[in-house]
Amino acid sequence: MSLKSKLIEAARGDEEKWIQIKNLSKMLKNLEISPKEYFHQFLMMYGHKATIKLFPDVVQVAPTTKTRNLLTSVFENYKVQLQAQEVMKNSKKQHGGGGGGQHDDDDDLDNNNDVMSHHQDACDNDNDNDAADEAPSSSSLKDRIAKRMASLDRRVENEKKEIEARECASNAMTAHVEEWLSKHKKNIVKLLVHMDEIFPEGFDHDPFSLQQKLGDDDFKAFSTTTNFKGKSNINKVSGTVKKAYHKTLLQVHPDKVRGLTVPQKVRAEAIFEGLSKAYRKFAHRCEKSTAAT
């Protein structure tokens, strides 16, 4: 069943809620609302049980990895709050003498409503609990839960700051990389040789070694034209370029640039994408030219 069908079914056939969720998702993508605000609106619309069941599916269709991580953190924060409420409820039962079934049901409803009503305040650590009613063991557990919630909040805040920094750096860095790609006519051979112009801090090898391996004649032939027909050594050149390409791509892979600044990461991602596209065109032309001979 698709996510749309699940959400409409959870809303008892009310497609208006699905439309509202789509609009909220667009606002989230455009950074008009925060992940916490998005989650709170979802919780208010669908309630506790449906949120616990469906929100993990909603997270999976988030537009970016960072957004998925932020939504996951907010969701985990909410579940931690529920756990804290459960600890309080059990503690009161143990020390206040059990109350009847109807009273317990009312407590469950009150606990869930309390979490929902306070979640809009960024899932903050709420210290409104009655310390006199808590056992020492539950107090220790509450401390651990509070620390975890604070850690999750810090993680959400840090990732939000990185997203904002990415937004600020994105246009400038992307334009810088595009200018570099255009300068070398998006020719993979020339791009690999001139990586020092765009990303000098990320390399532990000499990119000019490719020119030496190809030789002056082949380097000139394959870096100045897109028509490889009639070239007798296409397989040799393509193999050499492929090795250099993969070695270079590792230098700008997202997993390899985590220690760099946010602008450098954004630039590395743009380079990664630009090199990938340029190499695919090169490989296709080599294959096409080889098949024609």
Side-chain angles (χ1 to χ4, degrees), residues 15 55 82-83 99 110 114 130 141 176 203 212 226 239 244 277:
E15 293 193 16
F55 201 74
L82 290 178
Q83 184 181 357
D110 289 342
D114 182 62
D130 188 351
L141 179 58
H176 182 44
F203 286 88
Q212 297 169 359
T226 58
K277 290 180 179 179

Side-chain angles (χ1 to χ4, degrees), residues 36 74 77-78 80-82 84-85 114-129 145-154 156-157:
K36 290 178 181 179
V74 173
N77 202 332
Y78 173 68
V80 168
Q81 276 200 305
L82 290 178
Q85 291 285 355
D114 182 62
V115 174
M116 291 170 67
S117 64
H118 286 83
H119 197 273
Q120 192 170 19
D121 297 327
C123 301
D124 291 333
N125 282 331
D126 210 326
N127 293 321
D128 296 332
N129 304 317
I145 290 174
K147 288 180 180 179
R148 182 183 173 191
M149 290 173 66
S151 175
L152 286 170
D153 276 341
R154 286 193 299 271
V156 169
E157 188 62 30

Side-chain angles (χ1 to χ4, degrees), residues 102-267:
Q102 180 63 44
H103 177 71
D104 291 343
D105 290 341
D106 290 342
D107 280 347
D108 289 339
L109 181 60
D110 289 342
N111 285 334
N112 285 339
N113 286 339
D114 182 62
V115 174
M116 291 170 67
S117 64
H118 286 83
H119 197 273
Q120 192 170 19
D121 297 327
C123 301
D124 291 333
N125 282 331
D126 210 326
N127 293 321
D128 296 332
N129 304 317
D130 188 351
D133 290 335
E134 295 177 7
S137 60
S138 71
S139 176
S140 176
L141 179 58
K142 274 197 62 186
D143 288 342
R144 293 199 301 271
I145 290 174
K147 288 180 180 179
R148 182 183 173 191
M149 290 173 66
S151 175
L152 286 170
D153 276 341
R154 286 193 299 271
R155 176 182 168 188
V156 169
E157 188 62 30
N158 289 337
E159 291 183 344
K160 181 179 178 181
K161 288 180 180 178
E162 180 163 342
I163 287 177
E164 292 173 348
R166 280 178 170 274
E167 287 295 318
C168 293
S170 180
N171 291 337
M173 288 295 102
T174 301
H176 182 44
V177 173
E178 187 60 36
E179 182 181 352
W180 173 74
L181 292 169
S182 299
K183 174 183 175 182
H184 297 295
K185 299 180 180 179
K186 300 185 179 180
N187 180 292
I188 189 63
V189 177
K190 295 185 72 174
L191 294 174
L192 292 174
V193 168
H194 294 287
M195 283 297 299
D196 61 314
E197 296 176 355
I198 192 70
F199 204 69
E201 63 269 47
F203 286 88
D204 57 7
H205 69 279
D206 179 14
F208 284 97
S209 63
L210 173 61
Q211 185 172 351
Q212 297 169 359
K213 290 177 181 178
L214 289 178
D216 291 340
D217 291 340
D218 282 339
F219 172 75
K220 184 177 180 180
F222 284 84
S223 64
T224 57
T225 182
T226 58
N227 184 1
F228 304 150
K229 290 182 180 180
K231 301 290 189 297
S232 59
N233 52 350
I234 292 178
N235 290 333
K236 177 185 174 183
V237 171
S238 64
T240 302
V241 172
K242 182 178 181 180
K243 289 180 181 178
Y245 162 71
H246 283 299
K247 187 174 182 179
T248 301
L249 206 65
L250 284 175
Q251 307 297 315
V252 290
H253 190 280
D255 291 339
K256 299 292 185 180
V257 297
R258 290 179 178 174
L260 300 181
T261 64
V262 171
Q264 288 173 335
K265 289 179 184 178
V266 173
R267 182 176 43 169

Side-chain angles (χ1 to χ4, degrees), residues 18-79:
W18 162 250
I19 295 173
Q20 292 177 21
I21 289 296
K22 284 182 63 178
N23 291 335
L24 286 171
S25 298
K26 290 180 181 178
M27 293 173 68
L28 178 65
K29 183 178 180 180
N30 296 331
L31 300 180
E32 296 175 24
I33 60 173
S34 70
K36 290 178 181 179
E37 291 169 331
Y38 179 89
F39 177 78
H40 176 76
Q41 292 298 324
F42 188 96
L43 184 64
M44 292 299 102
M45 290 168 60
Y46 284 93
H48 165 71
K49 290 184 178 179
T51 298
I52 293 295
K53 181 180 179 181
L54 296 176
F55 201 74
D57 293 335
V58 174
V59 171
Q60 293 305 313
V61 298
T64 65
T65 301
K66 288 294 181 183
T67 304
R68 286 194 291 273
N69 291 340
L70 286 168
L71 289 173
T72 299
S73 297
V74 173
F75 183 52
E76 290 298 322
N77 202 332
Y78 173 68
K79 291 195 293 185

